[in-house]
Amino acid sequence: MSRDALVERMRKLEIRDADLEESFARSGGPGGQNVNKVSTAVTLRHLPTGISVTVQNSRSQAVNRKVARERLLDAVEATRKARRAAEIAEHEKARRRKSPRPPALKRKILESKRKRGELKKQRTNIEFS
């Protein structure tokens, strides 16, 4: 993803550079002396949401910074989609709860209640004389 595309995506998601906290640490794994001496691992945190991403894939700090931003944008996007889906589900649940029952279903429920009542009446105690 190019720098312009990344900036455009951040603008679209309304994420500013001021909202991001970036920290660096020494990463592990392959990379030789570079990895041992240079802080190439990047941790990027979005302060308003608290979402944090750590990247140490590359030997280059600049590449890790770019990948961290992409992953952070993916995470923020996924969180917003999940929240929106939950809101829609809650709205639909309330709509279904408030809607009246269809007449055929009402008749079926009443019929099953009548049958259940008749069955219970048959259970009454039998008196022996």
PDB file of all heavy atoms in Angstrom, residues 3-39:
ATOM      1  N   ARG A   3       2.039   5.268   0.342  1.00  0.00           N
ATOM      2  CA  ARG A   3       1.910   6.257   1.416  1.00  0.00           C
ATOM      3  C   ARG A   3       0.625   7.069   1.256  1.00  0.00           C
ATOM      4  O   ARG A   3      -0.098   7.310   2.225  1.00  0.00           O
ATOM      5  CB  ARG A   3       3.145   7.180   1.401  1.00  0.00           C
ATOM      6  CG  ARG A   3       3.075   8.322   2.357  1.00  0.00           C
ATOM      7  CD  ARG A   3       3.480   7.922   3.742  1.00  0.00           C
ATOM      8  NE  ARG A   3       3.468   9.085   4.610  1.00  0.00           N
ATOM      9  CZ  ARG A   3       2.956   9.079   5.818  1.00  0.00           C
ATOM     10  NH1 ARG A   3       2.465   7.981   6.315  1.00  0.00           N
ATOM     11  NH2 ARG A   3       2.965  10.156   6.544  1.00  0.00           N
ATOM     12  N   ASP A   4       0.315   7.457  -0.001  1.00  0.00           N
ATOM     13  CA  ASP A   4      -0.899   8.241  -0.259  1.00  0.00           C
ATOM     14  C   ASP A   4      -2.154   7.445   0.070  1.00  0.00           C
ATOM     15  O   ASP A   4      -3.113   7.976   0.635  1.00  0.00           O
ATOM     16  CB  ASP A   4      -0.938   8.694  -1.726  1.00  0.00           C
ATOM     17  CG  ASP A   4       0.163   9.700  -2.039  1.00  0.00           C
ATOM     18  OD1 ASP A   4       0.655  10.360  -1.099  1.00  0.00           O
ATOM     19  OD2 ASP A   4       0.530   9.822  -3.224  1.00  0.00           O
ATOM     20  N   ALA A   5      -2.148   6.165  -0.284  1.00  0.00           N
ATOM     21  CA  ALA A   5      -3.307   5.314   0.001  1.00  0.00           C
ATOM     22  C   ALA A   5      -3.487   5.154   1.507  1.00  0.00           C
ATOM     23  O   ALA A   5      -4.620   5.144   2.016  1.00  0.00           O
ATOM     24  CB  ALA A   5      -3.138   3.950  -0.665  1.00  0.00           C
ATOM     25  N   LEU A   6      -2.389   5.030   2.225  1.00  0.00           N
ATOM     26  CA  LEU A   6      -2.440   4.899   3.680  1.00  0.00           C
ATOM     27  C   LEU A   6      -2.995   6.173   4.325  1.00  0.00           C
ATOM     28  O   LEU A   6      -3.860   6.110   5.207  1.00  0.00           O
ATOM     29  CB  LEU A   6      -1.032   4.604   4.209  1.00  0.00           C
ATOM     30  CG  LEU A   6      -0.918   4.046   5.616  1.00  0.00           C
ATOM     31  CD1 LEU A   6      -1.648   2.717   5.716  1.00  0.00           C
ATOM     32  CD2 LEU A   6       0.529   3.872   5.988  1.00  0.00           C
ATOM     33  N   VAL A   7      -2.533   7.322   3.852  1.00  0.00           N
ATOM     34  CA  VAL A   7      -3.018   8.608   4.368  1.00  0.00           C
ATOM     35  C   VAL A   7      -4.506   8.780   4.060  1.00  0.00           C
ATOM     36  O   VAL A   7      -5.283   9.227   4.909  1.00  0.00           O
ATOM     37  CB  VAL A   7      -2.191   9.778   3.779  1.00  0.00           C
ATOM     38  CG1 VAL A   7      -2.824  11.119   4.095  1.00  0.00           C
ATOM     39  CG2 VAL A   7      -0.767   9.715   4.294  1.00  0.00           C
ATOM     40  N   GLU A   8      -4.911   8.394   2.865  1.00  0.00           N
ATOM     41  CA  GLU A   8      -6.323   8.493   2.467  1.00  0.00           C
ATOM     42  C   GLU A   8      -7.196   7.597   3.339  1.00  0.00           C
ATOM     43  O   GLU A   8      -8.280   7.983   3.767  1.00  0.00           O
ATOM     44  CB  GLU A   8      -6.464   8.114   0.989  1.00  0.00           C
ATOM     45  CG  GLU A   8      -7.885   8.152   0.469  1.00  0.00           C
ATOM     46  CD  GLU A   8      -8.517   9.533   0.520  1.00  0.00           C
ATOM     47  OE1 GLU A   8      -7.780  10.533   0.472  1.00  0.00           O
ATOM     48  OE2 GLU A   8      -9.761   9.604   0.622  1.00  0.00           O
ATOM     49  N   ARG A   9      -6.705   6.391   3.600  1.00  0.00           N
ATOM     50  CA  ARG A   9      -7.469   5.449   4.429  1.00  0.00           C
ATOM     51  C   ARG A   9      -7.587   5.973   5.866  1.00  0.00           C
ATOM     52  O   ARG A   9      -8.641   5.842   6.490  1.00  0.00           O
ATOM     53  CB  ARG A   9      -6.771   4.093   4.407  1.00  0.00           C
ATOM     54  CG  ARG A   9      -7.587   2.989   4.981  1.00  0.00           C
ATOM     55  CD  ARG A   9      -6.951   1.660   4.700  1.00  0.00           C
ATOM     56  NE  ARG A   9      -7.594   0.637   5.491  1.00  0.00           N
ATOM     57  CZ  ARG A   9      -7.027  -0.491   5.875  1.00  0.00           C
ATOM     58  NH1 ARG A   9      -5.806  -0.765   5.488  1.00  0.00           N
ATOM     59  NH2 ARG A   9      -7.668  -1.349   6.608  1.00  0.00           N
ATOM     60  N   MET A  10      -6.508   6.562   6.384  1.00  0.00           N
ATOM     61  CA  MET A  10      -6.557   7.148   7.722  1.00  0.00           C
ATOM     62  C   MET A  10      -7.555   8.304   7.772  1.00  0.00           C
ATOM     63  O   MET A  10      -8.303   8.448   8.741  1.00  0.00           O
ATOM     64  CB  MET A  10      -5.171   7.637   8.154  1.00  0.00           C
ATOM     65  CG  MET A  10      -4.227   6.532   8.546  1.00  0.00           C
ATOM     66  SD  MET A  10      -2.594   7.102   9.009  1.00  0.00           S
ATOM     67  CE  MET A  10      -2.919   7.987  10.517  1.00  0.00           C
ATOM     68  N   ARG A  11      -7.577   9.117   6.721  1.00  0.00           N
ATOM     69  CA  ARG A  11      -8.519  10.233   6.661  1.00  0.00           C
ATOM     70  C   ARG A  11      -9.955   9.724   6.635  1.00  0.00           C
ATOM     71  O   ARG A  11     -10.833  10.261   7.305  1.00  0.00           O
ATOM     72  CB  ARG A  11      -8.234  11.095   5.424  1.00  0.00           C
ATOM     73  CG  ARG A  11      -9.022  12.399   5.390  1.00  0.00           C
ATOM     74  CD  ARG A  11      -8.845  13.146   4.096  1.00  0.00           C
ATOM     75  NE  ARG A  11      -9.325  12.402   2.940  1.00  0.00           N
ATOM     76  CZ  ARG A  11     -10.618  12.205   2.630  1.00  0.00           C
ATOM     77  NH1 ARG A  11     -11.563  12.681   3.397  1.00  0.00           N
ATOM     78  NH2 ARG A  11     -10.956  11.535   1.556  1.00  0.00           N
ATOM     79  N   LYS A  12     -10.180   8.655   5.851  1.00  0.00           N
ATOM     80  CA  LYS A  12     -11.519   8.098   5.736  1.00  0.00           C
ATOM     81  C   LYS A  12     -12.018   7.527   7.065  1.00  0.00           C
ATOM     82  O   LYS A  12     -13.187   7.643   7.406  1.00  0.00           O
ATOM     83  CB  LYS A  12     -11.526   6.990   4.668  1.00  0.00           C
ATOM     84  CG  LYS A  12     -12.879   6.789   4.013  1.00  0.00           C
ATOM     85  CD  LYS A  12     -12.855   5.678   3.000  1.00  0.00           C
ATOM     86  CE  LYS A  12     -11.962   5.991   1.822  1.00  0.00           C
ATOM     87  NZ  LYS A  12     -12.000   4.944   0.785  1.00  0.00           N
ATOM     88  N   LEU A  13     -11.098   6.916   7.826  1.00  0.00           N
ATOM     89  CA  LEU A  13     -11.452   6.357   9.132  1.00  0.00           C
ATOM     90  C   LEU A  13     -11.405   7.397  10.249  1.00  0.00           C
ATOM     91  O   LEU A  13     -11.671   7.083  11.409  1.00  0.00           O
ATOM     92  CB  LEU A  13     -10.510   5.202   9.484  1.00  0.00           C
ATOM     93  CG  LEU A  13     -10.688   3.917   8.691  1.00  0.00           C
ATOM     94  CD1 LEU A  13      -9.575   2.936   8.999  1.00  0.00           C
ATOM     95  CD2 LEU A  13     -12.036   3.287   8.979  1.00  0.00           C
ATOM     96  N   GLU A  14     -11.036   8.639   9.891  1.00  0.00           N
ATOM     97  CA  GLU A  14     -10.940   9.749  10.839  1.00  0.00           C
ATOM     98  C   GLU A  14      -9.936   9.468  11.951  1.00  0.00           C
ATOM     99  O   GLU A  14     -10.214   9.678  13.131  1.00  0.00           O
ATOM    100  CB  GLU A  14     -12.320  10.079  11.414  1.00  0.00           C
ATOM    101  CG  GLU A  14     -13.310  10.522  10.364  1.00  0.00           C
ATOM    102  CD  GLU A  14     -14.718  10.669  10.909  1.00  0.00           C
ATOM    103  OE1 GLU A  14     -14.946  10.380  12.098  1.00  0.00           O
ATOM    104  OE2 GLU A  14     -15.587  11.077  10.133  1.00  0.00           O
ATOM    105  N   ILE A  15      -8.768   8.957  11.550  1.00  0.00           N
ATOM    106  CA  ILE A  15      -7.688   8.701  12.495  1.00  0.00           C
ATOM    107  C   ILE A  15      -6.570   9.694  12.191  1.00  0.00           C
ATOM    108  O   ILE A  15      -6.083   9.757  11.074  1.00  0.00           O
ATOM    109  CB  ILE A  15      -7.174   7.249  12.371  1.00  0.00           C
ATOM    110  CG1 ILE A  15      -8.282   6.273  12.775  1.00  0.00           C
ATOM    111  CG2 ILE A  15      -5.936   7.052  13.227  1.00  0.00           C
ATOM    112  CD1 ILE A  15      -7.918   4.832  12.591  1.00  0.00           C
ATOM    113  N   ARG A  16      -6.180  10.455  13.214  1.00  0.00           N
ATOM    114  CA  ARG A  16      -5.121  11.448  13.036  1.00  0.00           C
ATOM    115  C   ARG A  16      -3.807  10.896  13.581  1.00  0.00           C
ATOM    116  O   ARG A  16      -3.813  10.011  14.443  1.00  0.00           O
ATOM    117  CB  ARG A  16      -5.477  12.728  13.790  1.00  0.00           C
ATOM    118  CG  ARG A  16      -6.784  13.369  13.311  1.00  0.00           C
ATOM    119  CD  ARG A  16      -7.167  14.561  14.155  1.00  0.00           C
ATOM    120  NE  ARG A  16      -7.293  14.165  15.570  1.00  0.00           N
ATOM    121  CZ  ARG A  16      -6.883  14.904  16.589  1.00  0.00           C
ATOM    122  NH1 ARG A  16      -6.324  16.071  16.395  1.00  0.00           N
ATOM    123  NH2 ARG A  16      -7.030  14.476  17.821  1.00  0.00           N
ATOM    124  N   ASP A  17      -2.706  11.430  13.093  1.00  0.00           N
ATOM    125  CA  ASP A  17      -1.389  11.020  13.603  1.00  0.00           C
ATOM    126  C   ASP A  17      -1.255  11.354  15.086  1.00  0.00           C
ATOM    127  O   ASP A  17      -0.548  10.656  15.817  1.00  0.00           O
ATOM    128  CB  ASP A  17      -0.268  11.698  12.810  1.00  0.00           C
ATOM    129  CG  ASP A  17       0.045  10.964  11.520  1.00  0.00           C
ATOM    130  OD1 ASP A  17      -0.146   9.730  11.486  1.00  0.00           O
ATOM    131  OD2 ASP A  17       0.477  11.621  10.557  1.00  0.00           O
ATOM    132  N   ALA A  18      -1.922  12.402  15.531  1.00  0.00           N
ATOM    133  CA  ALA A  18      -1.864  12.795  16.940  1.00  0.00           C
ATOM    134  C   ALA A  18      -2.528  11.751  17.844  1.00  0.00           C
ATOM    135  O   ALA A  18      -2.216  11.673  19.041  1.00  0.00           O
ATOM    136  CB  ALA A  18      -2.536  14.147  17.131  1.00  0.00           C
ATOM    137  N   ASP A  19      -3.434  10.948  17.293  1.00  0.00           N
ATOM    138  CA  ASP A  19      -4.124   9.909  18.063  1.00  0.00           C
ATOM    139  C   ASP A  19      -3.276   8.651  18.215  1.00  0.00           C
ATOM    140  O   ASP A  19      -3.683   7.727  18.921  1.00  0.00           O
ATOM    141  CB  ASP A  19      -5.442   9.520  17.384  1.00  0.00           C
ATOM    142  CG  ASP A  19      -6.445  10.659  17.367  1.00  0.00           C
ATOM    143  OD1 ASP A  19      -6.297  11.594  18.181  1.00  0.00           O
ATOM    144  OD2 ASP A  19      -7.383  10.608  16.542  1.00  0.00           O
ATOM    145  N   LEU A  20      -2.133   8.600  17.541  1.00  0.00           N
ATOM    146  CA  LEU A  20      -1.304   7.402  17.548  1.00  0.00           C
ATOM    147  C   LEU A  20      -0.096   7.581  18.452  1.00  0.00           C
ATOM    148  O   LEU A  20       0.548   8.623  18.440  1.00  0.00           O
ATOM    149  CB  LEU A  20      -0.835   7.075  16.128  1.00  0.00           C
ATOM    150  CG  LEU A  20      -1.921   6.858  15.091  1.00  0.00           C
ATOM    151  CD1 LEU A  20      -1.300   6.618  13.727  1.00  0.00           C
ATOM    152  CD2 LEU A  20      -2.841   5.726  15.471  1.00  0.00           C
ATOM    153  N   GLU A  21       0.197   6.541  19.224  1.00  0.00           N
ATOM    154  CA  GLU A  21       1.382   6.529  20.073  1.00  0.00           C
ATOM    155  C   GLU A  21       2.298   5.424  19.565  1.00  0.00           C
ATOM    156  O   GLU A  21       1.899   4.265  19.487  1.00  0.00           O
ATOM    157  CB  GLU A  21       0.970   6.254  21.517  1.00  0.00           C
ATOM    158  CG  GLU A  21       2.103   6.266  22.499  1.00  0.00           C
ATOM    159  CD  GLU A  21       1.602   5.953  23.892  1.00  0.00           C
ATOM    160  OE1 GLU A  21       1.519   4.753  24.224  1.00  0.00           O
ATOM    161  OE2 GLU A  21       1.275   6.901  24.623  1.00  0.00           O
ATOM    162  N   GLU A  22       3.520   5.800  19.220  1.00  0.00           N
ATOM    163  CA  GLU A  22       4.445   4.854  18.612  1.00  0.00           C
ATOM    164  C   GLU A  22       5.617   4.604  19.556  1.00  0.00           C
ATOM    165  O   GLU A  22       6.167   5.549  20.112  1.00  0.00           O
ATOM    166  CB  GLU A  22       4.958   5.476  17.304  1.00  0.00           C
ATOM    167  CG  GLU A  22       5.317   4.515  16.243  1.00  0.00           C
ATOM    168  CD  GLU A  22       5.569   5.235  14.918  1.00  0.00           C
ATOM    169  OE1 GLU A  22       5.986   6.412  14.908  1.00  0.00           O
ATOM    170  OE2 GLU A  22       5.364   4.589  13.898  1.00  0.00           O
ATOM    171  N   SER A  23       5.962   3.320  19.746  1.00  0.00           N
ATOM    172  CA  SER A  23       7.143   3.009  20.548  1.00  0.00           C
ATOM    173  C   SER A  23       7.951   1.940  19.832  1.00  0.00           C
ATOM    174  O   SER A  23       7.419   1.148  19.048  1.00  0.00           O
ATOM    175  CB  SER A  23       6.736   2.549  21.945  1.00  0.00           C
ATOM    176  OG  SER A  23       5.934   1.398  21.872  1.00  0.00           O
ATOM    177  N   PHE A  24       9.237   1.923  20.120  1.00  0.00           N
ATOM    178  CA  PHE A  24      10.157   1.028  19.430  1.00  0.00           C
ATOM    179  C   PHE A  24      10.903   0.174  20.444  1.00  0.00           C
ATOM    180  O   PHE A  24      11.191   0.615  21.555  1.00  0.00           O
ATOM    181  CB  PHE A  24      11.162   1.838  18.600  1.00  0.00           C
ATOM    182  CG  PHE A  24      10.497   2.800  17.657  1.00  0.00           C
ATOM    183  CD1 PHE A  24      10.382   4.144  17.972  1.00  0.00           C
ATOM    184  CD2 PHE A  24       9.957   2.362  16.468  1.00  0.00           C
ATOM    185  CE1 PHE A  24       9.763   5.029  17.118  1.00  0.00           C
ATOM    186  CE2 PHE A  24       9.334   3.243  15.597  1.00  0.00           C
ATOM    187  CZ  PHE A  24       9.238   4.577  15.927  1.00  0.00           C
ATOM    188  N   ALA A  25      11.215  -1.050  20.030  1.00  0.00           N
ATOM    189  CA  ALA A  25      11.978  -1.959  20.885  1.00  0.00           C
ATOM    190  C   ALA A  25      12.810  -2.869  19.994  1.00  0.00           C
ATOM    191  O   ALA A  25      12.591  -2.946  18.782  1.00  0.00           O
ATOM    192  CB  ALA A  25      11.035  -2.782  21.742  1.00  0.00           C
ATOM    193  N   ARG A  26      13.732  -3.563  20.603  1.00  0.00           N
ATOM    194  CA  ARG A  26      14.530  -4.506  19.835  1.00  0.00           C
ATOM    195  C   ARG A  26      13.691  -5.732  19.564  1.00  0.00           C
ATOM    196  O   ARG A  26      13.046  -6.275  20.458  1.00  0.00           O
ATOM    197  CB  ARG A  26      15.787  -4.896  20.604  1.00  0.00           C
ATOM    198  CG  ARG A  26      16.738  -3.734  20.718  1.00  0.00           C
ATOM    199  CD  ARG A  26      18.079  -4.192  21.224  1.00  0.00           C
ATOM    200  NE  ARG A  26      18.935  -3.022  21.384  1.00  0.00           N
ATOM    201  CZ  ARG A  26      19.710  -2.811  22.417  1.00  0.00           C
ATOM    202  NH1 ARG A  26      19.765  -3.703  23.374  1.00  0.00           N
ATOM    203  NH2 ARG A  26      20.444  -1.739  22.478  1.00  0.00           N
ATOM    204  N   SER A  27      13.694  -6.164  18.328  1.00  0.00           N
ATOM    205  CA  SER A  27      12.900  -7.336  17.966  1.00  0.00           C
ATOM    206  C   SER A  27      13.764  -8.576  18.057  1.00  0.00           C
ATOM    207  O   SER A  27      14.981  -8.518  18.205  1.00  0.00           O
ATOM    208  CB  SER A  27      12.325  -7.185  16.552  1.00  0.00           C
ATOM    209  OG  SER A  27      13.364  -7.049  15.620  1.00  0.00           O
ATOM    210  N   GLY A  28      13.114  -9.732  17.964  1.00  0.00           N
ATOM    211  CA  GLY A  28      13.839 -10.995  18.023  1.00  0.00           C
ATOM    212  C   GLY A  28      13.762 -11.708  16.695  1.00  0.00           C
ATOM    213  O   GLY A  28      13.224 -11.195  15.722  1.00  0.00           O
ATOM    214  N   GLY A  29      14.307 -12.904  16.660  1.00  0.00           N
ATOM    215  CA  GLY A  29      14.213 -13.721  15.462  1.00  0.00           C
ATOM    216  C   GLY A  29      15.359 -13.469  14.514  1.00  0.00           C
ATOM    217  O   GLY A  29      16.385 -12.892  14.878  1.00  0.00           O
ATOM    218  N   PRO A  30      15.211 -13.897  13.264  1.00  0.00           N
ATOM    219  CA  PRO A  30      16.301 -13.756  12.300  1.00  0.00           C
ATOM    220  C   PRO A  30      16.555 -12.295  11.956  1.00  0.00           C
ATOM    221  O   PRO A  30      15.671 -11.463  12.038  1.00  0.00           O
ATOM    222  CB  PRO A  30      15.798 -14.527  11.081  1.00  0.00           C
ATOM    223  CG  PRO A  30      14.324 -14.538  11.205  1.00  0.00           C
ATOM    224  CD  PRO A  30      14.042 -14.531  12.687  1.00  0.00           C
ATOM    225  N   GLY A  31      17.776 -11.993  11.563  1.00  0.00           N
ATOM    226  CA  GLY A  31      18.120 -10.629  11.195  1.00  0.00           C
ATOM    227  C   GLY A  31      19.535 -10.293  11.599  1.00  0.00           C
ATOM    228  O   GLY A  31      20.045  -9.233  11.279  1.00  0.00           O
ATOM    229  N   GLY A  32      20.139 -11.178  12.363  1.00  0.00           N
ATOM    230  CA  GLY A  32      21.547 -11.003  12.698  1.00  0.00           C
ATOM    231  C   GLY A  32      21.818  -9.841  13.631  1.00  0.00           C
ATOM    232  O   GLY A  32      21.003  -9.492  14.477  1.00  0.00           O
ATOM    233  N   GLN A  33      22.975  -9.250  13.463  1.00  0.00           N
ATOM    234  CA  GLN A  33      23.440  -8.185  14.342  1.00  0.00           C
ATOM    235  C   GLN A  33      22.506  -6.974  14.303  1.00  0.00           C
ATOM    236  O   GLN A  33      22.287  -6.311  15.304  1.00  0.00           O
ATOM    237  CB  GLN A  33      24.859  -7.780  13.942  1.00  0.00           C
ATOM    238  CG  GLN A  33      25.513  -6.829  14.907  1.00  0.00           C
ATOM    239  CD  GLN A  33      26.948  -6.538  14.522  1.00  0.00           C
ATOM    240  OE1 GLN A  33      27.387  -6.909  13.443  1.00  0.00           O
ATOM    241  NE2 GLN A  33      27.672  -5.862  15.399  1.00  0.00           N
ATOM    242  N   ASN A  34      21.899  -6.704  13.146  1.00  0.00           N
ATOM    243  CA  ASN A  34      20.979  -5.571  13.001  1.00  0.00           C
ATOM    244  C   ASN A  34      19.841  -5.669  14.004  1.00  0.00           C
ATOM    245  O   ASN A  34      19.505  -4.693  14.677  1.00  0.00           O
ATOM    246  CB  ASN A  34      20.435  -5.519  11.573  1.00  0.00           C
ATOM    247  CG  ASN A  34      19.528  -4.331  11.344  1.00  0.00           C
ATOM    248  OD1 ASN A  34      19.961  -3.200  11.417  1.00  0.00           O
ATOM    249  ND2 ASN A  34      18.256  -4.595  11.082  1.00  0.00           N
ATOM    250  N   VAL A  35      19.250  -6.853  14.102  1.00  0.00           N
ATOM    251  CA  VAL A  35      18.117  -7.051  15.007  1.00  0.00           C
ATOM    252  C   VAL A  35      18.556  -6.889  16.459  1.00  0.00           C
ATOM    253  O   VAL A  35      17.823  -6.367  17.293  1.00  0.00           O
ATOM    254  CB  VAL A  35      17.494  -8.453  14.766  1.00  0.00           C
ATOM    255  CG1 VAL A  35      16.526  -8.821  15.858  1.00  0.00           C
ATOM    256  CG2 VAL A  35      16.784  -8.476  13.436  1.00  0.00           C
ATOM    257  N   ASN A  36      19.785  -7.321  16.778  1.00  0.00           N
ATOM    258  CA  ASN A  36      20.269  -7.250  18.152  1.00  0.00           C
ATOM    259  C   ASN A  36      20.636  -5.826  18.583  1.00  0.00           C
ATOM    260  O   ASN A  36      20.604  -5.516  19.763  1.00  0.00           O
ATOM    261  CB  ASN A  36      21.490  -8.157  18.335  1.00  0.00           C
ATOM    262  CG  ASN A  36      21.139  -9.602  18.103  1.00  0.00           C
ATOM    263  OD1 ASN A  36      20.013 -10.019  18.335  1.00  0.00           O
ATOM    264  ND2 ASN A  36      22.100 -10.372  17.628  1.00  0.00           N
ATOM    265  N   LYS A  37      21.018  -4.971  17.660  1.00  0.00           N
ATOM    266  CA  LYS A  37      21.515  -3.642  18.010  1.00  0.00           C
ATOM    267  C   LYS A  37      20.528  -2.505  17.754  1.00  0.00           C
ATOM    268  O   LYS A  37      20.616  -1.464  18.379  1.00  0.00           O
ATOM    269  CB  LYS A  37      22.805  -3.355  17.225  1.00  0.00           C
ATOM    270  CG  LYS A  37      23.954  -4.253  17.634  1.00  0.00           C
ATOM    271  CD  LYS A  37      25.172  -3.932  16.836  1.00  0.00           C
ATOM    272  CE  LYS A  37      25.942  -2.844  17.547  1.00  0.00           C
ATOM    273  NZ  LYS A  37      27.224  -2.558  16.879  1.00  0.00           N
ATOM    274  N   VAL A  38      19.602  -2.695  16.810  1.00  0.00           N
ATOM    275  CA  VAL A  38      18.710  -1.608  16.403  1.00  0.00           C
ATOM    276  C   VAL A  38      17.281  -1.923  16.847  1.00  0.00           C
ATOM    277  O   VAL A  38      16.828  -3.057  16.754  1.00  0.00           O
ATOM    278  CB  VAL A  38      18.757  -1.423  14.862  1.00  0.00           C
ATOM    279  CG1 VAL A  38      17.855  -0.292  14.434  1.00  0.00           C
ATOM    280  CG2 VAL A  38      20.173  -1.183  14.404  1.00  0.00           C
ATOM    281  N   SER A  39      16.580  -0.914  17.320  1.00  0.00           N
ATOM    282  CA  SER A  39      15.180  -1.086  17.743  1.00  0.00           C
ATOM    283  C   SER A  39      14.285  -1.092  16.504  1.00  0.00           C
ATOM    284  O   SER A  39      13.835  -0.045  16.048  1.00  0.00           O
ATOM    285  CB  SER A  39      14.776   0.037  18.689  1.00  0.00           C
ATOM    286  OG  SER A  39      15.558  -0.009  19.852  1.00  0.00           O
TER     287      SER A  39
END
